[in-house]
Amino acid sequence: MELINNIVLAIEKLNEIDEYIDSLADKQSILDEKTQDLLHYIENNKISTFGCYRIIKELKDIRITRRKVKEDLELGRKYYEIKNRLASLENRDFIISELKKKEKSLQTSYNNRQYSDEDLKELIEKERTENNEC
């Protein structure tokens, strides 16, 4: 076993993880700004049916990416909270367990705040009588 090479690799990986976690807040901010750009475009412009589809698809892609970023942010917070325990062999299994527990708690579905699922389904299925624009 090349001890020094393994230690260097472990340190490089930890540095990579720290850099990734540190970049997440900026990534979330960019995704939030993209969402706002699209929402303002919808508010201020007439859009064809196909254009509506493309914007909704883009919003969905942004939201999926944002969800992953938020989950990684939470895992990063948990990691930072307990990473000082890495030095101890006994604590490393505990760290893995805590991170997996946190990851499991993040995998919940969204609960609507104002619209019911039925309201949204009705809205989507409602026939449009306008010029196929949103």
Side-chain angles (χ1 to χ4, degrees):
M1 172 185 253
E2 293 190 35
L3 183 60
I4 192 117
N5 287 340
N6 286 333
I7 292 171
V8 168
L9 288 174
I11 290 170
E12 287 173 353
K13 190 52 121 171
L14 288 171
N15 289 342
E16 183 182 314
I17 290 167
D18 285 341
E19 288 170 11
Y20 174 71
I21 292 169
D22 290 344
S23 75
L24 290 172
D26 288 338
K27 287 180 182 181
Q28 182 181 2
S29 179
I30 289 167
L31 293 166
D32 289 342
E33 288 172 353
K34 284 183 173 187
T35 299
Q36 288 305 310
D37 288 349
L38 291 173
L39 292 174
H40 282 99
Y41 187 86
I42 291 167
E43 177 184 359
N44 296 315
N45 297 280
K46 288 191 179 220
I47 310 166
S48 69
T49 301
F50 182 71
C52 290
Y53 165 79
R54 299 288 300 216
I55 285 179
I56 294 300
K57 185 176 180 326
E58 181 69 10
L59 278 170
K60 181 176 182 174
D61 292 345
I62 290 168
R63 296 297 298 177
I64 289 170
T65 302
R66 187 178 185 277
R67 172 66 44 215
K68 175 68 174 134
V69 167
K70 281 190 69 173
E71 288 174 357
D72 284 354
L73 264 170
E74 284 301 313
L75 289 170
R77 285 185 187 112
K78 187 65 172 177
Y79 169 71
Y80 279 156
E81 189 179 299
I82 58 180
K83 83 175 190 174
N84 63 336
R85 298 177 186 171
L86 277 172
S88 168
L89 182 62
E90 298 81 35
N91 285 332
R92 291 182 192 145
D93 288 337
F94 169 76
I95 290 169
I96 292 169
S97 172
E98 287 294 306
L99 289 172
K100 286 185 176 186
K101 197 183 321 177
K102 184 64 174 178
E103 180 182 42
K104 188 175 180 181
S105 77
L106 294 172
Q107 296 172 351
T108 59
S109 60
Y110 178 78
N111 292 319
N112 295 334
R113 295 178 184 165
Q114 297 296 319
Y115 289 100
S116 69
D117 287 339
E118 294 79 26
D119 291 338
L120 293 172
K121 186 174 182 173
E122 182 181 317
L123 178 68
I124 290 168
E125 293 175 355
K126 191 178 197 180
E127 202 144 328
R128 293 191 52 94
T129 57
E130 299 174 10
N131 300 341
N132 286 331
E133 293 180 341
C134 22

